[in-house]
Amino acid sequence: MQAPNKKREMDDNSKKMGQLFWKLNAGDVSDGVVQKLMQLKQALDQGDLNKASSVQVSLTTSDWDECSSWLTALKRLIKARQMLG
């Protein structure tokens, strides 16, 4: 029963991250959000999951209107990375 839910979640993540990439490529993401995404990427590259979560929370609290369509997927990906250790 969990496998179909996990597949649905992965499909949803893929769709939402696709929306983010489309918006980035179209230049429809504000400079402030782009900067935060770059900080998040750097934190993930360095394995600093606390910093990555902090940036994600910042996006949630200060940029929700712009990020709401894909932010849930980003949060799920950070959580999955945390579970990997």
Side-chain angles (χ1 to χ4, degrees):
M1 184 151 161
Q2 189 168 353
N5 289 338
K6 193 54 103 174
K7 181 183 179 338
R8 207 169 321 140
E9 185 177 292
M10 289 176 60
D11 289 345
D12 186 56
N13 287 348
S14 179
K15 177 182 171 186
K16 289 179 178 185
M17 294 309 293
Q19 291 172 351
L20 169 58
F21 294 136
W22 185 84
K23 288 181 178 206
L24 284 167
N25 287 329
D28 290 340
V29 179
S30 70
D31 290 342
V33 169
V34 169
Q35 289 299 319
K36 288 178 185 176
L37 289 170
M38 292 180 72
Q39 290 173 8
L40 190 134
K41 181 220 178 284
Q42 184 178 26
L44 290 172
D45 285 348
Q46 295 172 350
D48 188 347
L49 300 176
N50 288 330
K51 175 68 175 175
S53 291
S54 174
V55 174
Q56 179 266 316
V57 168
S58 175
L59 286 165
T60 301
T61 57
S62 62
D63 302 291
W64 179 255
D65 289 343
E66 182 176 353
C67 306
S68 62
S69 64
W70 46 264
L71 201 52
T72 302
L74 192 61
K75 182 178 179 178
R76 287 179 190 152
L77 293 173
I78 293 168
K79 184 177 178 182
R81 176 63 177 90
Q82 288 172 327
M83 292 174 74
L84 291 174

